[in-house]
């Protein structure tokens, strides 16, 4: 039997995502009520600019005092889509203190202070859900947190930023340079006026921290994630990747160490074989590849950003939290029992593609091979092209640690016959 008294929802933020949340709550009100077991009512909307016209939202609901809204005491669920660290952090903790559960899309805050927010939710016996914080509409947090709770996840490998995937896909398919592809992404609305958070990997690193923490039942903060942007990727890198049967993606990679005693989380551009499912992810789409003991390989794919897709994830959480509210229960909180340490990038083992500018004369290859051998890095393939006394030498290694590769490159730079290191890129997905 449906309860007639509505569950009251406070919405913090009414931008691209928030306005879609409000729209869906209104247009799908009957369906949401049927799925939850009670109607949901938008009880207030906190914004910075109250004079802006917001279609479908009564002006009486709009306020600039977000703190007063979350302190009302009659609010059942607070939906936070304002982003950033403050005032979002204070508003969320205040919501818990005044009896509300929280649905958030705030990846930066969760990556930085997720443990403290979970602790506050547990202290007040309230829910904290955040499916929309990673990969937009793609169901990912809940499968990792609930569906795979009985399995052991070993690796999470994903494209979690649509802007960078659009740029790299454009470079791959058209031969465009980085700036040309970025300009097109900006013109089409895929890239912000300041694209730093995307192209330098900050956005993906926050998502990697969240995914690693859930997948490995350990606390992983944003500061634990190695981050490398993709602004230095060139058309020549794509040409080299094609020669290897690969493409290039900006990947978020979270994995257990071989001995299972630590984890790593990193974001960087990498070559990935065309045979890997992630290689076919085009445009601004996201996809995450999960490898676990029992279920094997799973892939989650879909739109990773945008108002409607992200709002879909928010509404899914809202339904779950409202159901919990009606039953007097709470959903799963933080699971950090494993407490695995996070290793540095130097311990990461992978393959590498190194492009060197060298003198075109006998003995160069032997010198380079000797340096690799002295540092314990095994060479898989070598390709050399030369003209007019200069040559390019492309070396692909077998698996080696980042520390060993770093020492190798440092030694290579000291060789008289090596003019420079044109590029270094990891090879993943094998």
């Amino acid at each position: 039997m449906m309860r007639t008294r509505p569950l009251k929802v406070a919405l913090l933020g009414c931008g691209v995502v928030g306005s879609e949340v409000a729209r869906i709550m209104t247009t799908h009100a009957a369906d949401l009520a049927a799925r939850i077991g009670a109607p949901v009512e938008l009880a207030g909307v906190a914004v910075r600019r109250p004079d802006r016209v917001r279609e479908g939202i009564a002006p009486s609901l709009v306020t600039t005092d977000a703190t007063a809204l979350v302190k009302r005491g009659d609010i059942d669920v607070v939906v936070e889509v304002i982003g950033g660290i403050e005032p979002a952090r204070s508003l969320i903790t205040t919501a818990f203190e005044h009896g509300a559960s929280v649905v958030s899309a705030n990846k930066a805050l969760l990556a930085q202070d997720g443990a403290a927010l979970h602790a506050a939710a547990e202290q007040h016996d309230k829910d904290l859900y955040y499916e929309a914080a990673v990969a937009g509409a793609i169901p990912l947090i809940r499968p990792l947190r609930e569906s795979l709770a009985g399995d052991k996840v070993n690796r999470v490998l994903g494209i979690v930023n649509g802007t960078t995937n659009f740029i790299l896909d454009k470079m791959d398919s058209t031969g465009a340079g980085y700036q040309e592809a970025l300009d097109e992404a900006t013109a089409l609305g895929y890239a912000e006026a300041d694209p730093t958070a995307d192209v330098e990997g900050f956005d993906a690193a926050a998502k990697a921290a969240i995914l690693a923490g859930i997948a490995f039942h350990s606390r992983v903060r944003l500061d634990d994630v190695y981050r490398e942007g993709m602004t230095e990727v060139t058309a020549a890198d794509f040409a080299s990747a094609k020669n290897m049967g690969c493409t290039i993606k900006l990947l978020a990679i979270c994995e257990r160490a071989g001995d299972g005693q630590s984890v790593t989380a990193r974001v960087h551009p990498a070559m990935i074989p065309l045979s890997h499912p992630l290689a076919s992810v085009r445009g601004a789409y996201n996809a995450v590849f999960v490898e676990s003991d029992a279920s094997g390989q799973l892939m989650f794919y879909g739109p990773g950003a945008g108002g409607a897709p992200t709002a879909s994830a928010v509404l899914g959480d809202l339904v779950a939290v409202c159901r919990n509210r009606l039953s007097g229960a709470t959903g799963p909180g933080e699971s950090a029992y494993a407490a695995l340490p996070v290793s540095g990038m130097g311990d990461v083992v992978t393959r590498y593609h190194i492009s060197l500018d060298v003198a075109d004369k006998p003995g160069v290859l032997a010198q380079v091979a000797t340096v690799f051998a002295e540092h314990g890095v095994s060479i898989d393939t070598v390709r050399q092209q030369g003209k007019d006394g200069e040559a390019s030498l492309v070396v692909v290694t077998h698996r080696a640690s980042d520390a060993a590769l770093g020492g190798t490159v440092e030694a290579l730079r000291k060789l008289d016959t090596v003019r420079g290191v044109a590029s270094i890129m990891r090879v993943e997905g094998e």
Side-chain angles (χ1 to χ4, degrees):
M1 182 175 178
M2 182 178 294
R3 192 181 83 165
T4 56
R5 183 170 65 82
L7 292 161
K8 294 189 176 183
V9 178
L11 178 61
L12 307 183
C14 198
V16 173
V17 176
S19 59
E20 280 295 310
V21 170
R23 182 188 66 79
I24 295 172
M25 284 185 64
T26 301
T27 58
H28 294 179
D31 286 335
L32 291 173
R35 294 165 190 172
I36 292 168
V40 286
E41 174 189 317
L42 188 59
V45 182
V47 300
R48 285 182 296 178
R49 292 181 286 274
D51 53 337
R52 179 178 296 175
V53 176
R54 293 172 172 86
E55 186 176 349
I57 298 176
S60 60
L61 295 179
V62 177
T63 178
T64 57
D65 194 343
T67 301
L69 179 59
V70 300
K71 281 184 173 181
R72 274 177 37 174
D74 65 333
I75 300 297
D76 294 287
V77 184
V78 169
V79 174
E80 183 272 309
V81 289
I82 57 178
I85 305 302
E86 287 291 356
R89 174 170 50 197
S90 297
L91 291 170
I92 289 173
T93 55
T94 300
F96 291 141
E97 292 165 1
H98 287 79
S101 290
V102 173
V103 173
S104 176
N106 196 330
K107 55 187 172 287
L109 178 58
L110 288 159
Q112 178 172 304
D113 290 321
L117 294 177
H118 275 294
E122 183 177 2
Q123 177 186 352
H124 297 284
D125 197 27
K126 296 295 177 286
D127 276 323
L128 173 62
Y129 276 49
Y130 44 91
E131 184 67 63
V134 180
I138 305 172
L140 186 58
I141 301 297
R142 196 167 299 149
L144 284 173
R145 193 160 69 167
E146 300 179 33
S147 303
L148 295 176
D151 205 344
K152 178 184 177 184
V153 176
N154 296 309
R155 195 173 197 230
V156 180
L157 176 76
I159 299 164
V160 295
N161 183 278
T163 300
T164 55
N165 198 59
F166 178 89
I167 293 169
L168 292 173
D169 182 42
K170 185 61 61 174
M171 293 175 70
D172 184 28
S173 60
T174 68
Y178 166 75
Q179 190 60 51
E180 182 183 351
L182 172 60
D183 290 344
E184 182 172 349
T186 304
L188 292 172
Y190 291 124
E192 301 286 347
D194 179 2
T196 302
D198 294 323
V199 300
E200 294 294 352
F202 290 101
D203 175 84
K207 296 169 182 176
I210 295 169
L211 292 174
I214 297 171
F216 307 132
H217 303 278
S218 302
R219 286 180 178 168
V220 180
R221 299 180 74 251
L222 179 59
D223 291 345
D224 295 322
V225 181
Y226 172 84
R227 177 192 55 79
E228 185 180 319
M230 40 79 74
T231 58
E232 300 300 318
V233 176
T234 66
D237 291 326
F238 274 100
S240 293
K242 287 181 179 179
N243 286 333
M244 290 179 58
C246 293
T247 189
I248 299 172
K249 300 291 186 182
L250 185 74
L251 298 177
I253 305 168
C254 315
E255 58 189 353
R256 294 180 188 267
D259 61 5
Q261 299 304 304
S262 65
V263 299
T264 59
R266 50 199 166 101
V267 169
H268 53 72
M271 294 183 180
I272 190 166
L274 295 175
S275 57
H276 194 282
L278 289 178
S280 61
V281 177
R282 310 300 297 270
Y285 275 71
N286 284 191
V288 176
F289 200 73
V290 178
E291 301 173 9
S292 64
D293 275 2
S295 56
Q297 297 178 331
L298 305 169
M299 182 162 151
F300 302 83
Y301 169 83
T310 305
S312 171
V314 170
L315 267 295
D317 278 351
L318 180 64
V319 168
V321 169
C322 286
R323 286 171 175 169
N324 291 344
R325 194 85 172 180
L326 288 179
S327 66
T330 56
E334 182 188 34
S335 176
Y337 74 92
L340 296 172
V342 183
S343 297
M345 190 63 187
D347 296 325
V348 170
V349 175
T350 189
R351 296 178 67 204
Y352 289 87
H353 175 282
I354 305 102
S355 179
L356 305 171
D357 295 326
V358 300
D360 187 16
K361 62 182 184 180
V364 174
L365 180 55
Q367 284 185 322
V368 169
T370 298
V371 170
F372 275 88
E374 289 174 346
H375 289 80
V377 179
S378 176
I379 293 175
D380 182 15
T381 62
V382 177
R383 186 176 72 254
Q384 183 174 0
Q385 291 179 322
K387 183 179 180 182
D388 298 329
E390 298 295 327
S392 63
L393 189 66
V394 175
V395 178
V396 180
T397 74
H398 287 290
R399 292 175 63 83
S401 72
D402 191 79
L405 197 281
T408 304
V409 172
E410 186 176 340
L412 287 170
R413 294 184 193 275
K414 296 177 181 178
L415 293 178
D416 292 339
T417 51
V418 175
R419 311 299 192 212
V421 180
S423 69
I424 303 170
M425 192 166 294
R426 297 167 184 89
V427 183
E428 302 285 350
E430 293 186 331

